[in-house]
Amino acid sequence: MSNAAVIRIKPYHYIHVLDNNTNVTSVEVGPQTFTRMDHQTVTAGPNDMIMIPPRHYCIIQNPVVRDEEGDVIFDKNNQAVLRHGDEEIRFEQEPFALFPGEKLYGKVAPLQVVAPNTAIRLRAIRDLDDKVAGDEWLFRGPGTYIPRVEVQVVEIVRATIIKPNQALRLRARKEFVDATEVVRQAGEEWIVRDAGAYLPDVNEEIRETVAAYVLTESKAIQLEAVQTFIDVFGVKRKAGEQWLVTFDDAETHIPDVYEKVVGEVRVTTLNSRQYCVVLDYVNEKTGKPVLGGRQLRVGERSFFLKPGERLENGIQAVHVLDSEEALLLRAREAYNDEDESRLPGDRWMIYGPCDYVPPVQVEIVEKRRSIPLDENEGIYVRDIKTGQVRDVTGESYMLSPYEELWEKDLPEVVEELLGKDGRYQGLGQRGGRVGTRDRTRVVTYRTPHNSAIQIYDYKQKQARVVFGPELVMLGPEEQFTVLSLSGDVPKRPHQIKALALLLGPDFMTDVVVVETSDHARLSLKLSYNWHFDVDHENLESSESIFNVPDFVGDSCKAIASRVRGAVAAHSFDEFHKHSARLIREAVFGLTAEGKVKNRFHFPSNNLVITNIDIQSVEPVDQRTRDALQKSVQLAIEITTKSQEAAARHEAERREQEARGRLERQKIADEAEAERAKTELLRLQAQSAAVESTGQASAEARARAESSKIEGEAAVEQADLAAQAEKIRAEAELAQIKAKQETEIGHQRSLNELEISRARDLADIEAIKFKSIVDAIGADTLQSIAQAGPEMQARLLQGLGLKSFLITDGNSPINLFNTAN
């Protein structure tokens, strides 16, 4: 907008001029020179005219009203009539000016080109032609879309590419007729399987892209109908019905909207040595499942299990039997087995060698194998018809159809004893002792040498005794007699559990507390030698050894009672002197001649005590024990002192003998010294004679020899002095070198310590500085750094100074160019 009196309007420009007298705004179009009157005001411009190039358009808001010839209609005041609130789309034309009130909405834009496989979804916002407001349709490409004010562009729709083995699942937004002339109801879904680009209609909604299931000879899919419909194969399917689509039906399958994929089904393949039983099989003729039915299928073949079908026990191998194997069969229902008729529940066996595939009417109870048994092995067999149990030993045995292996139960204590005893054969496999006992095997036990076991038959109500070494095999109704013996010292009942009774000879130890006639209580530790006097051939004698359940406790109590009675009749001193004789007399008794017997016999079980050993006698009372210990110590002390006196006397005797021999040796040595002195005087006399005659010559030779020795000594002394000086110099050099090396090492260590200290201090200072900086924060440091200059700037502002210069007055300053 310009306030100039003269306005030069360029070509393709315009201005709006307001006449203040009439309040009418007119348009002045260039090129021209416009002279503004005083009552006129330029309200807009000069502005560029609107130029719409080819294939472009623009939207004009509040457009002017035009007549049929396209001319603008003016009212009586010569003001252009506008369609207020309306819009007009203008296409390629000559440049034009906007009348007062008209506005350009947006910018001049190119026409929208719709590519192939693309469409524009349009919506009518006003009634036009055959459309009413709210209708939607597609403008499909390729083409150029010419916009209209009555039509709104909703979105750009692009075609979806349907690849091979793919389909689109569509849903109708409302009732309409699709491209295939099929009437679709609102909410209806369907599948489009044609490969290529598919552009959905405005009434169609793409739910998803459905991928096809690839079917092979080993894979099929199981489908279920959601509602009743006719599938792609032309078969009517009822709601809830399930079926298979296999490779024979189609190589690929795209599930329909009313089909639900239950899952993939793998092919079941049987080779020539396999079979299976299909339960609830589907009848091939009617296509209906036979509920409760069973069908046998034998290889070689491949098939898919149809919906509802399942395998009984999976794929099973054909039963191959060798000559020692058999199958126990039972009839499920009545049927004819070759020439023989079988009733439900009948049992029979098929013996090998052969191959066997059981029909559906037959149930395989178990696979049996002939059980090889040695002479010392056996099994328990029970007849399921009569219930009778028997043992089979020493042969290879195959159970009959109405026989089964019977498990023999043993008491827990017997199981424990058999498990601990290495002579037991019934654990695990043959001869093994690892694992639990095979209860169907005959219980065998190796009776040790010189021992006996008792076995009781509860059916016959009689017992038998077996003497070792012998192998015992228990019958179905037989059990071991468990011995519960006393043990420990002193004896306590039920300490030892055993199956075999050892016959001896053996020994046992017990502690007996007795009291003498003078009331001294003593603890005697006694050991007894014993054995059983039994006749193996005599049944009564053999069984008698088991008459006393605890022969150890019984015998120890009997002997202890006799010992207590005998000791009670004697004083402590008397018993202490004759303890062995008194105890043996009390236990064994005396003969008519007054001699001690050599055995003590128990007639109830033929136990014989042959000897008694007194291992220790200790007083029970503490005072008695202390007195006895003191007397023993006194006796030991007396014995020790007597031995010391004898040893001292012997030492004095030996010392006197040595002193006499020393005196005699001293006298002999003095006599020998006198003889040596006489010889010395004689030799001195001869030496004096020789000395007087040859003294002169000897002195001359001595002086010559002395001079020679002195010269040699001087030379040797000089050599030694030189060597000593050399050694001293080398020693001093080595000492100086060692000292210097020591000082260098010491200085190096000090330097290293100083470097390490400086490094540590630097690290500590760095960490300290970093900690301080981290604690203060970067913002705080920035504020501290800026605080001085900011304070100076505030001071200057407070003084009203915009700038200042400080100088010492000695240096000249050029201020001529400062203003510039």
Side-chain angles (χ1 to χ4, degrees), residues 42-166:
V42 178
T43 59
N47 294 330
D48 293 338
M49 289 186 178
I50 306 300
M51 298 182 182
I52 304 177
R55 300 186 61 80
H56 285 67
Y57 73 98
C58 69
I59 300 176
I60 303 299
Q61 293 180 338
N62 304 322
V64 296
V65 180
R66 298 178 184 272
D67 56 15
E68 295 179 356
E69 296 179 358
D71 296 331
V72 179
I73 298 176
F74 295 92
D75 59 9
K76 60 182 179 178
N77 297 318
N78 202 25
Q79 178 75 43
V81 179
L82 302 179
R83 290 183 290 162
H84 293 283
D86 199 357
E87 292 181 347
E88 182 182 52
I89 297 178
R90 299 178 184 179
F91 301 98
E92 176 187 358
Q93 56 182 287
E94 291 296 327
F96 62 91
L98 293 178
F99 283 90
E102 290 185 333
K103 294 181 181 179
L104 176 64
Y105 178 75
K107 297 180 180 179
V108 177
L111 294 176
Q112 188 171 1
V113 177
V114 183
N117 296 329
T118 308
I120 299 178
R121 185 177 177 184
L122 304 176
R123 179 185 296 136
I125 58 178
R126 303 179 189 177
D127 295 341
L128 77 160
D129 301 336
D130 57 343
K131 302 288 192 299
V132 296
D135 284 350
E136 293 184 354
W137 67 96
L138 291 182
F139 179 83
R140 301 175 184 270
T144 302
Y145 173 66
I146 305 300
R148 299 181 63 175
V149 294
E150 298 88 355
V151 179
Q152 177 187 7
V153 176
V154 179
E155 62 178 348
I156 297 176
V157 181
R158 292 178 174 81
T160 302
I161 305 300
I162 303 176
K163 300 179 182 179
N165 296 329
Q166 282 186 346

Side-chain angles (χ1 to χ4, degrees), residues 719-744:
D719 292 339
L720 292 175
Q723 292 178 2
E725 188 65 26
K726 180 181 179 181
I727 292 170
R728 187 181 300 106
E730 289 177 353
E732 290 178 355
L733 180 61
Q735 183 177 6
I736 294 171
K737 182 178 180 181
K739 181 178 180 181
Q740 292 176 351
E741 289 177 353
T742 303
E743 292 177 352
I744 291 172

Side-chain angles (χ1 to χ4, degrees), residues 399-412:
L399 296 175
S400 67
Y402 290 95
E403 287 182 344
E404 65 179 4
L405 293 175
W406 181 75
E407 294 186 354
K408 181 177 179 62
D409 293 328
L410 296 176
E412 184 177 353

Side-chain angles (χ1 to χ4, degrees), residues 168 258 295 299 339 392 561 785:
L168 287 181
Y258 303 119
Q295 186 182 54
D339 298 334
V392 179
S561 65

Side-chain angles (χ1 to χ4, degrees), residues 757-769:
R757 177 175 175 273
R759 186 185 299 112
D760 293 339
L761 290 175
D763 293 340
I764 292 171
E765 289 295 326
I767 294 172
K768 176 181 177 182
F769 182 76

Side-chain angles (χ1 to χ4, degrees), residues 758-788:
R759 186 185 299 112
D760 293 339
L761 290 175
D763 293 340
I764 292 171
E765 289 295 326
I767 294 172
K768 176 181 177 182
F769 182 76
K770 185 176 182 299
S771 302
I772 293 173
V773 170
D774 293 340
I776 296 174
D779 297 334
T780 306
L781 291 176
Q782 184 179 359
S783 301
I784 294 173
Q786 294 176 353

